[in-house]
């Protein structure tokens, strides 16, 4: 087996390779002055099973384009199979039509990935459990939630889990079960589909005097997390922590989270956080071993 890294996930790819007892195979990524990339696989891959690790966080389109070309380069060089680890599957929130006239963007991504030669996909905490159905190749839907459950155990007693929206109920129930069916609460979040603006209309559950632990699939602008935190504090929560698999961190998310009343923000390393986006309240948990074990199965 040979393992390759795209530009977006070098550190994670190195860790996954380490768990697989492999070195990353060399790949040349040359960027032309106009931004186009020329990609060359430098190893012999004829008849080999190959793995590419490339997350699709910001800049999403660029990361995907690089991945498409890497898969093509491997196939043209004779690779037997190309398993791709896309720990954060960009465009996953556009997995169906919300309003007439829209595209199903994730289906476009799925079609390109399979037509260039992806043979299997490994991804973490997909926004909807139905997403694998969009792909015509096997999808391994992995999760950072068991790692989060272990970390939450260390936060002490009197915990209440919180889903910041009704769409996250399945996720929050899973974490609750992992922690021996501890109590959970849900927030009723509304999103305006044309402006994207969100508002909270209520809290189901009791958080008074408790340590509230928000669990979400991703933090993008951080508006959801910070609005939820404010509501939880207003309803009497003593401390608030936030856990999310994907630290997308768009715009000023890091600064907003740092300034907020949240005590700590825990995300996994499905997306590499560049130094300028990191902030003191941020803690990282690695999904590398989970990914490596799934690849080996
Ligand atoms: C929404 O359905 C997702 O689960 C996240 O809550 C949302 O995408 C987070 O976005 P933001 O951080 O921009 O509020």
């Amino acid at each position: 087996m040979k393992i390759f890294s795209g530009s977006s996930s070098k550190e994670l790819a190195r860790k996954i390779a380490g768990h697989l007892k492999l070195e990353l195979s060399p790949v040349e990524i040359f960027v032309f002055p106009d931004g186009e990339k020329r990609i060359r696989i430098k190893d012999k891959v004829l008849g080999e099973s190959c793995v590419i690790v490339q997350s699709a966080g910001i800049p999403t389109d660029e990361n995907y384009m690089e991945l498409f070309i890497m898969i093509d380069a491997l196939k043209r060089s004779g690779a037997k199979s190309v398993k791709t680890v896309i720990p954060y599957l960009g465009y996953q929130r556009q997995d169906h039509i919300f309003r007439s006239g829209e595209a199903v963007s994730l289906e476009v991504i799925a079609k390109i990935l399979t037509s260039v030669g992806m043979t299997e996909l490994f991804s973490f905490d997909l926004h909807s459990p139905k997403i694998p159905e969009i792909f015509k190749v096997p999808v391994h839907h992995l999760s950072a939630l068991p790692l989060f459950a272990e970390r939450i155990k260390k936060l002490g007693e009197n915990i209440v889990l919180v889903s910041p929206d009704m769409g996250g109920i399945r996720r929050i129930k899973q974490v609750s079960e992992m922690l021996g069916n501890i109590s959970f609460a849900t927030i009723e979040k509304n999103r305006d589909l044309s402006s994207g603006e969100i508002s909270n209309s209520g809290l189901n559950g009791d958080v008074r005097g408790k340590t509230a632990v928000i669990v979400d699939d991703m933090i993008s602008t951080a508006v959801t997390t910070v609005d939820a935190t404010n509501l939880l504090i207003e309803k009497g929560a003593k401390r608030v922590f936030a856990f999310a698999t994907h630290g997308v961190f768009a715009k000023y998310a890091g600064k907003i989270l740092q300034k907020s009343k949240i005590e700590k923000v825990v995300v996994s390393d499905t997306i590499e956080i560049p130094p300028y986006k990191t902030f003191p309240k941020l803690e990282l948990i690695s999904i590398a071993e989970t990914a490596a074990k799934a690849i080996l199965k």
Side-chain angles (χ1 to χ4, degrees), residues 93 127 164-165 167-168 171 189 191 196 198 215-226 248-250 253:
R93 284 174 290 179
H127 191 59
D165 53 41
R171 186 180 314 119
K189 177 178 98 172
R191 191 183 284 274
I198 65 164
V215 183
D216 208 348
D217 56 345
M218 66 184 85
I219 299 176
S220 182
T221 60
V223 172
T224 300
T225 317
V226 173
V248 178
F249 297 149

Side-chain angles (χ1 to χ4, degrees), residues 60-239:
T60 307
D61 294 356
E62 229 178 90
N63 289 331
Y64 266 131
M65 197 64 208
E66 189 181 291
L67 177 60
F68 302 151
I69 301 173
M70 280 182 84
I71 299 173
D72 185 68
L74 282 171
K75 288 305 283 181
R76 284 175 198 277
S77 306
K80 187 173 77 182
S81 60
V82 183
K83 298 178 178 184
T84 65
V85 182
I86 313 178
Y88 169 66
L89 189 71
Y91 281 103
Q92 60 179 288
R93 284 174 290 179
Q94 296 181 52
D95 62 340
H96 64 273
I97 293 174
F98 292 87
R99 295 175 304 164
S100 63
E102 289 179 350
V104 182
S105 311
L106 184 62
E107 200 169 310
V108 176
I109 299 290
K111 279 182 186 160
I112 304 176
L113 284 167
T114 44
S115 67
V116 289
M118 175 181 81
T119 50
E120 274 175 66
L121 169 65
F122 298 76
S123 195
F124 279 81
D125 291 321
L126 297 166
H127 191 59
S128 145
K130 282 181 162 279
I131 285 177
E133 292 170 20
I134 291 182
F135 290 82
K136 301 268 188 293
V137 296
V139 176
H140 304 267
H141 187 177
L142 310 175
S143 179
L145 297 181
L147 301 170
F148 286 172
E150 287 308 309
R151 180 65 185 90
I152 293 168
K153 275 184 198 163
K154 295 182 188 146
L155 296 179
E157 301 292 310
N158 212 13
I159 303 262
V160 57
L161 301 171
V162 180
S163 174
D165 53 41
M166 301 308 279
I169 287 188
R170 192 182 54 90
R171 186 180 314 119
I172 218 74
K173 281 186 177 164
Q174 281 175 336
V175 183
S176 165
E177 268 173 36
M178 289 172 197
L179 292 168
N181 293 313
I182 63 170
S183 65
F184 63 86
T186 52
I187 291 173
E188 284 173 38
K189 177 178 98 172
N190 313 300
R191 191 183 284 274
D192 180 318
L193 286 178
S194 49
S195 68
E197 271 177 30
I198 65 164
S199 58
N200 288 332
S201 53
L203 173 76
N204 308 309
D206 183 18
V207 299
R208 200 165 298 276
K210 298 190 178 174
T211 297
V213 179
I214 301 168
V215 183
D216 208 348
D217 56 345
M218 66 184 85
I219 299 176
S220 182
T221 60
V223 172
T224 300
T225 317
V226 173
D227 279 7
T229 302
N230 293 340
L231 181 69
L232 293 168
I233 300 273
E234 188 192 305
K235 298 285 182 189
K238 248 171 59 191
R239 307 166 75 192

